[in-house]
Every structure is written in C-alpha cells, then in structure tokens.
C-alpha cells in the first residue's frame, strides 16, 4: 500500500499521520469501520473503474465527523451560514451534510470530489457521481455490517452500483418510516431518483 495519499494535496501527509489524526477523533469500533469502508470502497472502485486511491481516501474519511458534539455542529452551521433548518436534525444527518466541512478544515487541499462523497454518504443525492455511489454503498456493505438485507445489498453491488444504491435507500426509508423517524428530504430525493433501478431489475 502506498504510504501517501496524493489527494491530501500539499499537506503531503503520510498514511501514518492520517490514521493518527482519525484515531484521535473516533472510538476504536468506528475507526475499524472506517478502515473497512476504505477497503470496500477500493474494491468497488476497481470493479467500476473509479480511481482506487481517491475512493479509498473518501471511504477512510467518510465518518470523520461522526463523534463531533452538537455544539460543534451548531458552530459549523453558523460559521458557514448553512441552512438553519439543519439545526432541527441530528448527528445522523450532520456528520455527512456538515461533517465534510470539518474534513476540509482539517485536511486543507483535499480533493472536492472527496468532500462531496463524504457530504452525501448518509442521505445520498438525486444525482450522484461514481465516487459518491461507491462510498454510499461501501458504508452499507463493508464486511463488518450485519443487518437484515445486507447480503442482498452485497449481491446487488456485484451486479449494479445503481441497483445497490436504490436497494440501500429503499431499505433505509422503510426502516425510518417503521421506526417513526423523520426522513431527511435528500433521502427521499435519492429514493425517488433511484427506485426505478429496482423496478426495472
Ligand atoms: P454510519 O455513520 O456508518 O453509522 O452510517 P450512515 O452514515 O449511513 O447512517 C447513520 C444513521 O443515519 C443511520 O442510523 C441511518 O438510519 C440514519 N439515517 C439515514 N438517513 C436518514 C434520514 O433521512 N433521517 C433520519 N432521521 N436518519 C437517517
Ligand atoms: Fe456515516
Ligand atoms: Fe459509516
């Protein structure tokens, strides 16, 4: 494995430094999950013809902001003049939709495509790049995941990334509705844009 991620830009940070920085921010179990998403993102990138090193770095960093406090997210919303409605949501939404700004602050010069993939890794987008889809799906199917439907998601990811995005989003929407949780508008937009891939399959 290369010791450097050129995508970290001018910082020239080594992998060792990078992992050290991540480890300080998240608990051990989450750190392992992030390493697993790095690996799975790399595999999907190879399979679907994306840049493997970019995909791995996006996968590795995707949950970087998962353990920020509510106060830290509120400060970021104010600092970057984000939509105030965001304040009505929770960490589940914030760590992607706002978390990418923390990644940008801590890793200046990182590729914007990586920040975008981090931003949408939880809720998706109606239009997603190949990299966005890879991280979105890898987060769901990495080997440590164990929940109903994960094996079907893994099988679909081998055939079609769009079908895997659609399946994952449909599962999430159904789960959230069953739990009587609010569904973030972007999650529904992703569902509406991708559900056709399931209807056609
Ligand atoms: P993780 O960060 O690796 O645990 O995975 P994700 O970033 O994909 O998801 C974090 C949490 O967000 C999960 O518990 C999802 O059920 C939840 N989530 C995803 N979409 C929505 C949504 O639209 N609304 C709400 N309330 N929660 C959501
Ligand atoms: Fe996440
Ligand atoms: Fe994750």
């Amino acid at each position: 494995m290369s010791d450097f991620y050129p995508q970290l830009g001018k910082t020239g940070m080594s992998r060792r430094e990078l992992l050290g920085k991540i480890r300080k921010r998240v608990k051990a179990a989450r750190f392992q999950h992030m390493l697993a998403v790095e690996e799975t993102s790399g595999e999907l990138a190879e399979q679907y013809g994306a840049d493997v090193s970019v995909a791995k770095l996006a996968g590795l960093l995707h949950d970087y902001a998962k353990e920020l406090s509510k106060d830290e997210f509120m400060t970021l919303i104010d600092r970057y003049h984000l939509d105030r409605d965001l304040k009505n949501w929770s960490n589940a939404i914030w760590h992607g939709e706002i978390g990418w700004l923390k990644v940008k602050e801590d890793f200046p010069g990182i590729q914007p495509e990586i920040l975008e993939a981090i931003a949408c890794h939880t809720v998706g987008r109606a239009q997603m790049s190949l990299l966005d889809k890879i991280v979105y799906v890898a987060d769901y199917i990495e080997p440590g995941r164990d929940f109903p439907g994960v094996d079907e998601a893994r099988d679909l990811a081998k055939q079609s990334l769009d079908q895997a995005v659609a399946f994952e989003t449909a599962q999430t929407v159904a789960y959230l509705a069953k739990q009587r949780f609010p569904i973030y508008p972007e999650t529904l937009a992703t569902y509406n844009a991708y559900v056709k891939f399931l209807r056609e399959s």
Side-chain angles (χ1 to χ4, degrees):
M1 188 182 293
S2 143
D3 192 39
F4 288 90
Y5 269 117
Q7 294 74 22
L8 282 173
K10 296 187 185 72
T11 58
M13 197 180 288
S14 70
R15 178 175 174 79
R16 197 187 156 85
E17 286 174 274
L18 174 62
L19 294 185
K21 229 170 151 160
I22 297 169
R23 212 193 286 267
K24 265 193 254 158
R25 287 239 154 249
V26 296
K27 295 194 188 81
R30 181 144 314 271
F31 184 68
Q32 289 308 318
H33 163 68
M34 291 163 79
L35 289 173
V37 176
E38 175 188 36
E39 209 48 45
T40 302
S41 296
E43 287 163 17
L44 289 173
E46 246 165 55
Q47 187 187 340
Y48 288 101
D51 185 312
V52 172
S53 157
V54 170
K56 287 179 79 168
L57 181 56
L60 179 61
L61 286 171
H62 81 285
D63 274 342
Y64 183 73
K66 183 86 179 188
E67 294 172 23
L68 292 192
S69 68
K70 180 174 180 177
D71 280 356
E72 286 174 286
F73 284 119
M74 295 303 115
T75 302
L76 287 166
I77 291 173
D78 292 337
R79 184 181 306 152
Y80 292 98
H81 308 289
L82 305 181
D83 187 340
R84 303 194 72 75
D85 176 60
L86 264 173
K87 294 197 174 185
N88 300 321
W89 293 85
S90 65
N91 174 284
I93 302 302
W94 296 331
H95 80 282
E97 290 281 353
I98 308 172
W100 67 274
L101 286 160
K102 183 71 184 168
V103 176
K104 191 176 182 204
E105 286 183 354
D106 287 6
F107 304 94
I110 192 170
Q111 287 188 3
E113 294 80 3
I114 293 177
L115 296 174
E116 178 50 38
I118 293 170
C120 73
H121 86 268
T122 305
V123 298
R125 295 277 182 264
Q127 291 198 326
M128 296 169 88
S129 70
L130 178 57
L131 179 64
D132 295 344
K133 293 182 212 175
I134 284 172
V135 176
Y136 185 79
V137 170
D139 186 24
Y140 200 73
I141 67 167
E142 60 93 344
R145 295 293 210 193
D146 184 16
F147 46 73
V150 70
D151 284 328
E152 194 172 346
R154 289 182 178 126
D155 287 345
L156 284 174
K158 291 190 184 111
Q159 298 163 30
S160 156
L161 206 48
D162 287 321
Q163 282 184 27
V165 167
F167 179 80
E168 169 182 342
T169 311
Q171 291 271 110
T172 300
V173 167
Y175 163 80
L176 292 168
K178 184 139 200 291
Q179 300 293 322
R180 306 291 187 251
F181 287 144
I183 300 179
Y184 193 66
E186 210 68 44
T187 304
L188 291 172
T190 307
Y191 174 80
N192 287 336
Y194 280 87
V195 67
K196 66 177 183 217
F197 292 105
L198 293 180
R199 296 172 63 89
E200 284 164 3
S201 64

